[in-house]
Amino acid sequence: MNILTFDSDEKLNEAAANIIIGQIQTTPRAVLGLATGGTPVGIYKEVVRDFQRGMFSFRNVTTFNLDEYVNLPIDHPESYHSYMNTHLFNHIDLPASQCHIPDGNASDTAAECRRYDESIELSGQIDLQLLGLGHNGHIGFNEPAHALIKGTHVVDLAEETLEANARFFDSIDDVPKQALTMGVGTILKAKKILLVVKGADKADIVHRALKGPITTDCPASLLQTHPNLIVLLDSTAAGKLS
Ligand code: GLP
C-alpha cells in the first residue's frame, strides 16, 4: 500500500487526477471504476480541465460506476447519473455507450445486478478503481455486515450513511433507503485501486481501514489485501496515522 498525504485540497485533487489521466494515457482503452460523493468532485474538475487542454481523450475508455440509489429518477439532481453527467460526462468525449451506471429504477433489480456484473466481466478487468470512504468504512455502498457480497447487489443503506448523505437532500427522509452497489469482490479484482479520503471527520475510519484488523465490520479494511492500492489523504484525514 502506498499512502500519500497532501497539505492542500488542490494538490490532492491534482495528484488523483494525474493518476487517472496517466492511466488513460498509458492505456487508451482503459476500464475505469468511478466513484461519486463529495470527495471526487474536485478530482473530476481537474480531469475535465486537463481534458479541455487536449492532453488526452476518453474516446476509447470504458467506465463503470460503483453505485446508484434505488428508485430515485435518473434525472433527479442527486441521482448518481446526474452527478456523473454534471461533474464529468457532460464535459468529456466519452461515448455514452461506454459509460455504465447501475440502473436503480430497474423493475427487476436482481436481473439488473446480474446484467451489470456481466458487462464488467465482458469489458475485461477494471484497470483503475477510484474509491471514496464512508464514515462507517463503506466502499461503494458496501456497508459493514457479517458477510460481504462479491458482486453487484441491492443494499439497505446504514443509518450513518443516510445521515451522511442527508446533506445532499432536503431532509433525511428524502434519502433513498436502498442502493445498487458493485460488490467488494469486483472492487478487489481491479488491477489498481485509488482510495481518496478528505477531512478530519474521516481520520478515525482511515486509521481503522488502513491499520486496523481486516474485518467485514469495516469493508474498506479489505483493501489492505490488495496488491496495488494507492491511498491519497489530506493531512486531516491522515491525522490518526502515526
Ligand atoms: C457515498 C458513496 C461512496 C462514497 C462515500 C463517501 O455515499 N456511495 O461511493 O465514497 O459515500 O462520500 P463523501 O465523499 O461524500 O464523503
Side-chain angles (χ1 to χ4, degrees):
M1 165 186 341
N2 190 2
I3 305 178
L4 299 169
T5 303
F6 297 84
D7 56 15
S8 82
D9 197 44
E10 206 182 354
K11 286 184 200 157
L12 171 51
N13 291 335
E14 203 178 291
N18 285 343
I19 292 173
I20 296 170
I21 295 165
Q23 181 71 56
I24 298 170
Q25 286 171 328
T26 55
T27 323
R29 307 191 73 82
V31 180
L32 302 180
L34 298 179
T36 52
T39 307
V41 171
I43 300 172
Y44 292 142
K45 209 170 171 180
E46 277 294 317
V47 169
V48 167
R49 208 182 56 173
D50 285 350
F51 166 77
Q52 287 169 344
R53 288 177 176 156
M55 285 170 60
F56 63 100
S57 167
F58 279 88
R59 209 175 311 117
N60 296 311
V61 170
T62 300
T63 66
F64 288 95
N65 264 81
L66 283 166
D67 42 24
E68 178 57 286
Y69 291 114
V70 166
N71 282 339
L72 191 67
I74 59 167
D75 58 356
H76 186 286
E78 294 306 331
S79 78
Y80 289 163
H81 281 75
S82 294
Y83 173 104
M84 290 309 300
N85 289 335
T86 304
H87 295 293
L88 187 65
F89 298 154
N90 285 348
H91 314 286
I92 59 176
D93 62 347
L94 176 69
S97 60
Q98 286 158 220
C99 61
H100 306 269
I101 304 179
D103 178 4
N105 291 286
S107 53
D108 182 345
T109 47
E112 170 59 10
C113 291
R114 281 196 302 275
R115 186 199 65 78
Y116 202 64
D117 284 339
E118 279 162 19
S119 5
I120 297 172
E121 284 278 310
L122 270 176
S123 74
Q125 214 176 350
I126 292 177
D127 291 293
L128 175 66
Q129 175 66 58
L130 175 63
L131 288 180
L133 177 65
H135 289 94
N136 60 358
H138 76 217
I139 44 175
F141 269 135
N142 291 276
E143 302 283 26
H146 291 306
L148 296 175
I149 298 171
K150 204 170 103 189
T152 305
H153 59 283
V154 180
V155 62
D156 292 331
L157 298 179
E159 196 54 40
E160 233 175 326
T161 302
L162 299 177
E163 282 162 19
N165 289 2
R167 70 190 197 276
F168 298 117
F169 293 84
D170 288 340
S171 86
I172 190 164
D173 298 328
D174 295 327
V175 184
K177 307 281 181 289
Q178 290 188 313
L180 297 189
T181 184
M182 204 186 264
V184 170
T186 308
I187 293 172
L188 289 174
K189 261 167 72 181
K191 284 187 200 162
K192 189 188 289 176
I193 295 181
L194 173 59
L195 173 69
V196 184
V197 195
K198 302 176 180 179
D201 54 322
K202 301 256 180 90
D204 283 322
I205 197 64
V206 164
H207 184 266
R208 269 184 71 199
L210 303 181
K211 304 289 178 190
I214 298 173
T215 164
T216 60
D217 285 339
C218 177
S221 67
L222 273 76
L223 297 173
Q224 293 178 37
T225 66
H226 195 276
N228 199 353
L229 171 67
I230 305 170
V231 185
L232 304 187
L233 304 172
D234 70 11
S235 45
T236 61
K240 296 276 165 74
L241 299 177
S242 50

